[in-house]
């Protein structure tokens, strides 16, 4: 036994060298295990110490026994006193404690051996069941991953051929993006549903009805030769590079009026020529993921679900994403009228760098806010009657789209006959002072806001008071112009609507909706 380990054990635990030797013998010289055993079993430690104290060395044993009693020459045994008997009894008791401690240590060693045996048997069992599993693997192999698809029950699931099941099956067939079988009619075609094989699907029957269906399919097929198949971001990037507007046709495949655009508008040769030269043409189905980004940007409050907004065609500026022209609802212009309106649009708008496009001269009317809690009973009755009359008028009308044309706001209202011409509007920009620089207020979210200004070479962020008029922004930019833009006239457009802020000089920043907003600075250069 290593004396260094015994000395170290005694120094750490405070036990005697004999106790240290006993624990090291129990653990086959494993020093760390002996320390753990000493502290985990205080009863065992005390028992081992008591046993060692009760068992004297062999040389001392005979001398100790000689003190118990002596026999004289006549054979009489003499006992010195009762204290000797008490000593002998205590020695016997200590010997019993040592035996118990040794038995406890043996039991502990046996338990550890049993645990090692159980672990070894368990590993052998896993190796037999696992095949190639290594001996160090204590867990079974993971369950293989499976992928399944939950499908709604078919029309025959209930066992009854009812109208509801037939309608469900028809809806499921229409919404399938890539149909595996043939089309059942000319109006079930999907946008980008494999146009190359479309003419061959209806010729399988070889009958007159199949030939008629094929002619209808050709008549109402989407204009693949005019369309571009790309994402919204790709279309904007290409539009900026090629200086082409983005034209979007959002289709409701269940509306026959949308299908007629494929037949009447997009197959007109004049329209096709004008669109292919000046526009990137995209056609979306409102039920498919391709249209989600466009719907999110340009159909707020789920207005794309309003059937009165179809047919829908719009023109978007690829540089800013601003929607500059919209045709929405019925009646849709004829091919000749649509061509004329497109030609007029291209005359008024341009993607050239130095061009100035028309801006909105009027704002869209906003619904009047009514505080019902402050109304009298008579006023509430009058409002209910008025709303009832308006709803009846709306039901009587053929179409009530809630998507409006922003280009209509750029045109001056017609002058009433007999009242003469309207006076020319004054140049509001020249009336703004250029000697009033801006000092940013202290940061206080309750009364201040940060506004981001984007310009051709970067962006600037400034803090304003919410009650400051919009004129304050113009005064700041005129008094502290951007580098290289001294004396250059500019326009401020509220994004993303593209609303010109020159018409709102005296309105507060809060009322104009510029809190935490973004403003585009457009310089007007000759």
């Amino acid at each position: 036994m290593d004396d260094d380990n015994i000395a170290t054990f005694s120094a750490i635990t405070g036990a005697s060298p004999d106790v240290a030797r006993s624990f090291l013998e129990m653990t086959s010289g494993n020093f760390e295990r002996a320390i753990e055993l000493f502290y985990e079993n205080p009863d065992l430690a005390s028992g081992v110490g008591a046993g060692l104290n009760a068992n004297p060395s062999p040389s001392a044993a005979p001398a100790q026994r000689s003190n118990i009693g002596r026999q004289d020459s006549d054979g009489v045994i003499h006992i010195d006193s009762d204290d000797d008997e008490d000593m002998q009894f205590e020695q016997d008791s200590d010997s019993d404690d040592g035996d118990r401690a040794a038995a406890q240590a043996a039991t502990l060693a046996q338990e550890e051996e049993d645990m090692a045996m159980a672990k070894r048997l368990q590993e052998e069992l896993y190796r037999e069941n696992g095949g190639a599993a290594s001996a160090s693997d204590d867990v079974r192999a993971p369950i293989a991953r499976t992928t399944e698809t939950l499908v709604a029950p078919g029309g025959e699931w209930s066992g009854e051929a009812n109208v509801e099941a037939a309608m469900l099956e028809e809806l499921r067939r229409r919404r399938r993006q890539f149909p595996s079988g043939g089309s059942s009619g000319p109006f079930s075609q999907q946008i980008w549903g494999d146009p190359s094989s479309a003419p061959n699907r209806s010729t399988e029957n070889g009958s007159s009805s199949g030939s008629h269906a094929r002619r209808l399919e050709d008549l109402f097929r989407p204009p693949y030769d005019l369309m571009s198949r790309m994402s919204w971001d790709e279309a904007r990037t290409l539009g900026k590079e090629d200086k082409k507007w983005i034209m979007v046709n959002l289709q409701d495949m269940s509306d026959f009026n949308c299908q007629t655009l494929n037949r009447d508008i997009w197959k007109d040769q004049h329209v096709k020529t004008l669109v292919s030269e000046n526009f990137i043409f995209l056609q979306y189905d409102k039920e498919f993921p391709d249209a989600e980004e466009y719907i999110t940007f340009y159909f707020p409050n789920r207005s794309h679900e309003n059937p009165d907004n179809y047919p829908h065609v719009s023109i978007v500026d690829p540089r800013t994403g601003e929607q500059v022209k919209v045709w929405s609802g019925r009646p849709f212009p004829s091919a000749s009228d649509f061509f004329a309106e497109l030609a007029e649009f291209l005359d008024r708008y341009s993607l050239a760098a130095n061009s100035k496009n028309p801006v909105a001269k009027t704002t869209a009317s906003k619904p009047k806010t009514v505080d019902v809690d402050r109304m009298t009973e008579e006023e509430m009755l009058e409002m209910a009657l008025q709303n009832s009359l308006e709803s009846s008028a709306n039901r009587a009308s053929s179409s009530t789209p809630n998507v409006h044309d922003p280009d209509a706001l750029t045109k001056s209202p017609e002058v009433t006959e007999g009242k003469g011409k309207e006076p020319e509007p004054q140049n509001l920009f020249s009336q703004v002072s250029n000697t009033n620089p801006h000092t940013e207020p202290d940061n206080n979210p309750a009364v201040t806001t940060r506004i981001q200004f984007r310009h051709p070479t970067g962006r600037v962020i400034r803090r304003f008071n919410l009650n400051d008029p919009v004129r304050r922004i113009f005064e700041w930019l005129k008094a502290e112009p951007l580098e290289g833009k001294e004396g250059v006239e500019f326009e401020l457009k509220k994004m993303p609507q593209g609303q010109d802020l020159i018409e709102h000089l005296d309105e507060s920043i809060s009322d104009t909706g510029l809190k935490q907003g973004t403003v585009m600075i457009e310089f007007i250069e000759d």
Side-chain angles (χ1 to χ4, degrees):
M1 189 66 61
D2 192 352
D3 293 338
D4 293 339
N5 287 344
I6 295 175
T8 306
F9 187 97
S10 299
I12 293 174
T13 62
S16 64
D18 293 334
V19 173
R21 183 180 292 106
S22 299
F23 274 93
L24 289 170
E25 288 176 355
M26 291 180 192
T27 58
S28 300
N30 189 333
F31 178 77
E32 295 179 356
R33 179 59 185 152
I35 293 291
E36 293 177 0
L37 186 62
F38 179 85
Y39 284 110
E40 290 175 357
N41 300 276
D43 296 337
L44 178 60
S46 61
V48 171
L52 292 174
N53 293 332
N55 293 327
S57 61
S59 60
Q64 193 172 16
R65 285 196 299 269
S66 63
N67 293 333
I68 296 175
R70 67 181 180 277
Q71 184 176 2
D72 57 9
S73 59
D74 295 333
V76 179
I77 299 174
H78 299 274
I79 298 176
D80 294 338
S81 66
D82 294 338
D83 293 338
D84 295 335
E85 294 180 1
D86 294 339
M87 185 182 297
Q88 179 66 28
F89 178 77
E90 290 176 359
Q91 290 175 352
D92 293 341
S93 176
D94 292 342
S95 178
D96 293 340
D97 291 340
D99 294 340
R100 284 197 298 272
Q104 187 176 1
T107 302
L108 182 62
Q110 184 64 35
E111 289 179 355
E112 292 180 354
E113 185 178 354
D114 292 343
M115 290 175 60
M117 176 66 71
K119 184 176 181 181
R120 185 166 59 253
L121 291 175
Q122 189 179 27
E123 291 176 355
E124 293 177 357
L125 180 62
Y126 279 134
R127 281 199 299 270
E128 292 176 1
N129 295 337
S134 62
S136 61
D137 292 338
D138 293 336
V139 295
R140 60 168 174 75
I143 300 175
R145 184 181 66 179
T146 58
T147 302
E148 297 178 352
T149 303
L150 293 177
V151 184
E156 300 81 8
W157 180 75
S158 62
E160 299 178 359
N162 48 36
V163 178
E164 242 176 272
M167 291 177 63
L168 179 62
E169 182 63 27
E170 177 67 13
L171 183 61
R172 187 183 295 113
R173 183 188 60 78
R174 285 185 175 225
R175 291 189 176 182
R176 193 175 299 121
Q177 186 171 4
F178 298 105
S180 56
S183 300
S184 60
F187 309 118
S188 62
Q189 302 180 79
Q190 303 294 334
I191 300 175
W192 298 117
D194 191 7
S196 60
S197 60
N200 298 327
R201 289 197 299 265
S202 59
T203 58
E204 295 176 356
N205 295 333
S207 60
S208 58
S209 61
S211 177
H212 178 67
R214 185 183 63 181
R215 287 196 298 271
L216 287 177
E217 277 193 27
D218 294 339
L219 195 60
F220 289 95
R221 181 174 295 113
Y224 295 109
D225 55 341
L226 194 62
M227 295 160 52
S228 299
R229 188 173 191 179
M230 60 184 67
S231 66
W232 181 250
D233 291 336
E234 292 173 346
R236 287 192 58 181
T237 301
L238 183 61
K240 286 184 282 189
E241 293 176 354
D242 296 349
K243 289 184 170 49
K244 287 187 175 182
W245 302 93
I246 300 176
M247 178 178 288
V248 181
N249 175 209
L250 187 65
Q251 292 260 340
D252 182 359
M253 303 305 287
S254 61
D255 189 345
F256 179 73
N257 293 280
C258 293
Q259 303 278 356
T260 56
L261 296 187
N262 295 337
R263 180 195 64 185
D264 301 334
I265 304 298
W266 311 128
K267 285 185 169 54
D268 184 85
Q269 191 59 41
H270 299 291
V271 173
K272 287 178 64 175
T273 302
L274 196 63
V275 170
S276 60
E277 291 178 356
N278 301 278
F279 298 90
I280 296 174
F281 183 73
L282 305 175
Q283 190 177 81
Y284 294 138
D285 183 348
K286 71 182 184 72
E287 300 293 342
F288 279 77
D290 295 346
E292 287 183 359
E293 196 167 5
Y294 178 80
I295 290 174
T296 302
F297 290 152
Y298 304 105
F299 281 88
N301 303 321
R302 304 186 64 84
S303 56
H304 70 285
E305 296 179 355
N306 183 3
D308 293 327
N309 287 330
Y310 299 94
H312 175 89
V313 178
S314 71
I315 300 176
V316 177
D317 189 335
R319 303 167 300 180
T320 62
E322 178 187 0
Q323 203 173 41
V324 293
K325 179 72 177 176
V326 174
W327 294 267
S328 186
R330 298 178 295 275
F332 197 85
S334 63
S336 57
D337 293 340
F338 185 73
F339 174 80
E341 292 183 22
L342 275 186
E344 180 190 359
F345 171 84
L346 294 175
D347 289 339
R348 300 178 64 229
Y349 291 84
S350 173
L351 290 176
N354 298 328
S355 63
K356 181 180 177 181
N357 292 325
V359 296
K361 298 182 178 180
T362 59
T363 58
S365 60
K366 297 181 180 179
K368 191 176 181 181
T369 304
V370 179
D371 190 356
V372 181
D373 295 334
R374 297 185 178 182
M375 296 177 63
T376 63
E377 186 176 353
E378 291 78 7
E379 291 174 341
M380 294 175 66
L381 183 61
E382 183 180 355
M383 185 181 70
L385 181 61
Q386 184 178 359
N387 291 340
S388 177
L389 293 175
E390 289 179 358
S391 61
S392 300
N394 290 339
R395 284 195 297 269
S397 63
S398 60
S399 165
T400 56
N402 52 11
V403 178
H404 303 285
D405 182 14
D407 182 48
L409 302 177
T410 66
K411 300 177 181 179
S412 301
E414 296 181 359
V415 180
T416 305
E417 186 177 355
K419 292 187 178 181
K421 278 188 173 184
E422 292 184 349
E424 293 185 1
Q426 299 178 352
N427 188 353
L428 299 177
F429 184 84
S430 61
Q431 300 177 8
V432 177
S433 172
N434 60 356
T435 60
N436 192 7
H438 174 64
T439 302
E440 289 193 352
D442 295 335
N443 185 20
N444 185 355
V447 297
T448 63
T449 183
R450 290 163 62 89
I451 303 177
Q452 177 180 232
F453 298 89
R454 292 187 175 273
H455 53 88
T457 59
R459 64 174 184 170
V460 181
I461 299 177
R462 287 290 183 271
R463 186 183 296 113
F464 293 87
N465 288 316
L466 289 173
N467 57 359
D468 282 344
V470 176
R471 183 187 300 274
R472 191 75 193 84
I473 303 176
F474 281 89
E475 290 176 348
W476 159 60
L477 283 173
K478 291 188 73 173
E480 303 174 13
L482 299 177
E483 184 178 356
K485 300 297 182 181
E486 294 81 0
V488 179
E489 187 176 349
F490 58 86
E491 293 179 348
L492 299 182
K493 301 291 185 66
K494 175 185 174 183
M495 301 305 294
Q497 297 89 347
Q499 181 181 3
D500 194 350
L501 296 177
I502 197 67
E503 304 290 339
H504 306 274
L505 289 176
D506 297 325
E507 297 182 18
S508 67
I509 290 176
S510 177
D511 294 340
T512 316
L514 293 178
K515 183 177 181 180
Q516 302 294 338
T518 301
V519 175
M520 179 71 72
I521 305 175
E522 296 183 0
F523 293 96
I524 304 173
E525 299 178 356
D526 296 334

